[in-house]
Amino acid sequence: MSPLGSINPLGSSPLTRIDAPLPKIGLAPGAGPHPAVPGEGFGQMLDGLVATVESKQSAASDITRKVLLGDSDQLHQSVIAMQEASVAFSMMVEVRNKLVESYQELMRMQV
């Protein structure tokens, strides 16, 4: 028996072929960053990611404001929205750090 118990995350067979199709993992419509369009530039993609983070932060702020004013009793939704915005912002900062690190690495290369 597997250490995870009787749950088999790979499906009904214990082994899955390498060329087997991956299961579809979808997000709710409108959730997450927008997929890249083939003609879209890198800067536009980053602008889209920043806009997504900004929208998550403003939604969390709106929900929290409603809870604090007593218009809503959905405290758990407020906490979830704030945590989601925090994780999205942290990921954006890490992406920025990797981009800066990559740029610095390119500048150190000798031609």
Side-chain angles (χ1 to χ4, degrees), residues 2 4-7 9-10 12 14 32 37 40-41 44-46 51 54 57 66 70-71 76 78 85 87 90 106:
S2 81
L4 297 176
S6 63
I7 299 172
L10 298 177
S12 61
V37 179
E40 188 175 278
Q44 291 174 338
M45 182 191 71
L46 289 178
E54 183 181 7
Q57 288 178 335
K66 287 179 184 177
D71 295 338
H76 62 285
S78 172
V87 168
S90 296
L106 283 172

Side-chain angles (χ1 to χ4, degrees), residues 28-69:
H34 304 290
V37 179
E40 188 175 278
F42 186 70
Q44 291 174 338
M45 182 191 71
L46 289 178
D47 286 342
L49 293 174
V50 170
T52 302
V53 171
E54 183 181 7
S55 69
K56 287 183 184 296
Q57 288 178 335
S58 87
S61 176
D62 290 342
I63 293 171
T64 303
R65 184 178 302 111
K66 287 179 184 177
V67 170
L68 291 175
L69 293 174

